[in-house]
Amino acid sequence: MGKIIIANFKMNLSLEDIKKYIEIVSTADPDRFVVCPSNIYIPYFLNENYKVGLQNISYASKGAYTGEVSAVQASSMKIDYTIIGHSERRQYFNESIEEISKKIEQATSNNLKVIFCIGETLDQRDSNKTEEILKKQLESLMQKKSKDIIIAYEPVWAIGTSLTPSNEDIVNATLFIKKECQNYGFDNVEVLYGGSVNLDNIETLNSIKEISGFLIGGASLDPEKMLKILKVTR
Ligand code: PGA
């Protein structure tokens, strides 16, 4: 089977764009293509039998948490996945390792598969702290069920910047993540790469055997590009 492709729309696209998207990107690859739109658009994709993921989930199970969506609710909608710990959530919403850990707990105990994002900033990379940071972020995994968790290695400096690490750097980070996960009893964890994946670099990135797929932001917004990326990674 080809690589897993996660489309993270973030806070983009209008209803009109969404309808056009669904028309262009058919559900030909439902086993490996997951769309994460803004929550309000989710029913459109579910009606078309897409695999759908949330971009975030509440750490609480229910109650007075205005604006939040719980894993219990997502599961009742037959949503398959949720992204947790995206660097934009960590940066703009101050998500802590403890909070992220609770979110992972909520998701896995409600049958949602987790796309757990980790990655270093440029400063951290320049001061040779990448492995230390990845190790720290992976602490959110403690005592979780491994089979429901996929790790997305997303260097913060590569997100939305057109910069990507070398294939060698991605392989090294991926092998480090897999080794660390084994310490938590997670064997054969799947690791995705995310950060400025686009049509120009997808063939090069796709040659990395150690990764299981890609988390794609900017390039996923264009349905024609998405179709081409799905083809290359098939
Ligand atoms: P990008 O975003 O592809 O636009 O760099 C990736 C992400 O934030 O998941």
Side-chain angles (χ1 to χ4, degrees), residues 64-103:
Y65 296 91
T66 301
E68 292 288 279
V69 169
S70 75
V72 180
Q73 292 173 316
S75 181
S76 77
M77 293 273 292
K78 307 241 180 309
I79 287 168
D80 303 287
Y81 290 84
T82 183
I83 296 173
I84 293 180
H86 191 281
S87 67
E88 286 150 20
R89 301 286 320 171
R90 294 181 196 258
Q91 192 182 343
Y92 306 137
F93 302 94
N94 299 319
E95 282 189 7
S96 65
I97 287 185
E98 293 72 27
E99 192 178 337
I100 289 168
S101 188
K102 283 192 202 165
K103 290 181 180 210

Side-chain angles (χ1 to χ4, degrees), residues 44-59:
Y44 289 92
F45 288 94
L46 287 175
N47 287 341
E48 300 285 335
N49 284 327
Y50 273 76
K51 277 250 179 354
V52 171
L54 297 176
Q55 297 175 11
N56 174 43
I57 196 100
S58 175
Y59 66 80

Side-chain angles (χ1 to χ4, degrees), residues 9 13 21 24-25 217-228:
F9 290 175
L13 303 182
Y21 199 98
I24 297 172
V25 184
S220 79
L221 299 175
D222 178 335
E224 303 287 355
K225 278 189 192 162
M226 202 63 246
L227 274 183
K228 287 182 185 150

